[in-house]
Amino acid sequence: MRGLGSPVEVRVEPGQRDASPSGGRLLGIDFGGTKMAVGVADLQGRLLARERVPTYAEKGAVQALDRALDLAATLVGQTGPGGPLLAAGVASPGVVHSDGVDLAPNVPGWDRLRLADAVRDRLGVTLVPVANDLNAAALAELRLGALRDADPGLVVGLGTGVAAAVTVGGRVVAGQHGAAGEIGYAPTGGFPGTMLESVFSGRALDQLAGSLGIPGGAAGLGAHAATPGPARDALLARVDELARHLATCCLLLDPRRVVLVGGVAGSDLIRGLLADRLAEVLPHPPELVLSGFADDAALLGAVTMAREAVPTYQ
């Protein structure tokens, strides 16, 4: 494993440095196409420390995994005494299997990783539940966030990619192959020959901004689209495409609430446009809300997975 190369600034939550019970600690790792987050928590799931680092996707999967695990080891070592590491939850793009990862094209080589084995080998922990990152975010919303009182629920991730997660009866529906909600692969109508993720996602909007000569990627595009003009027209066409797919999801599931997560979801303009489109076409429009966890939904979901994997959790 390669080292981090420089000291890690550990962010310890106020008043939490010595709060971990003697029974042990939990670890959460959220792998993303742009950023990776690592957090150490006590057995109640309260974060003791967390840190976020770039993925550097263009450099490949191995270096990203190495740096995340080195960071995890550093955080575990720097959060003070608190008992052994009992479980580590891992959130990853795609559909995770024991011998690789499907449907995770944004980081070259990610499909060849054995995430659970790598965590066990590097950190010496036995319990390593692994899930799709948006399913992990949906679990956090179920246990801690906007879906605690909403059933059914739908979580929509608008980040580097685009995907959805379905919750029914207090559980995340993974599907037969673990690929439920992979709407990014849906064919588009307004953009023939393409799939939704290539039309509406953080990466797609970054590319659109570049083609229009707008600096700042998706955020810059959103700022320009606040007023009439080419940027607004181009963004509206893509929001309409996303809205068509979300409307179909809502017609099928009839969710009480739709929770948006991810960097693109933070745009007030995009959320407003989506809400308007859904209200126009759905007989029973759901509540459309922004996750209250900012960028931490999948990380908190990973910690929750670790907590629920510990036999004494119940």
Side-chain angles (χ1 to χ4, degrees), residues 2 34 59 80 127 129 136 164-165 242 247 287 291-292 298 309:
R2 288 190 292 275
T34 303
K59 297 182 180 180
L127 299 174
L242 173 64
E287 298 176 63
S291 173

Side-chain angles (χ1 to χ4, degrees), residues 133-155:
D133 52 359
L134 196 59
N135 285 352
L139 181 64
E141 297 293 346
L142 276 174
R143 300 289 189 265
L144 309 168
L147 295 182
R148 283 177 294 178
D149 62 344
D151 186 43
L154 186 67
V155 177

Side-chain angles (χ1 to χ4, degrees), residues 7-130:
V8 177
E9 180 183 353
V10 179
R11 179 150 60 105
V12 178
E13 302 304 304
Q16 293 281 350
R17 177 171 291 277
D18 297 317
S20 182
S22 59
R25 286 170 291 171
L26 307 170
L27 176 70
I29 304 176
D30 170 28
F31 291 107
T34 303
K35 297 177 182 179
M36 305 180 293
V38 179
V40 178
D42 63 21
L43 289 185
Q44 282 67 53
R46 297 173 299 189
L47 284 171
L48 307 174
R50 55 184 162 181
E51 189 67 31
R52 194 178 308 274
V53 294
T55 303
Y56 300 134
E58 70 282 359
K59 297 182 180 180
V62 173
Q63 61 81 31
L65 178 62
D66 285 353
R67 289 189 298 110
L69 295 183
D70 285 343
L71 175 58
T74 299
L75 291 181
V76 169
Q78 293 188 8
T79 48
L85 184 62
L86 297 182
V90 178
S92 165
V95 180
V96 185
H97 306 290
S98 60
D99 59 350
V101 185
D102 294 336
L103 307 183
N106 290 321
V107 182
W110 203 258
D111 59 319
R112 297 190 294 274
L113 297 181
R114 300 188 177 197
L115 294 175
D117 288 346
V119 173
R120 292 188 187 102
D121 292 345
R122 177 68 175 86
L123 301 175
V125 59
T126 301
L127 299 174
V128 186
V130 184

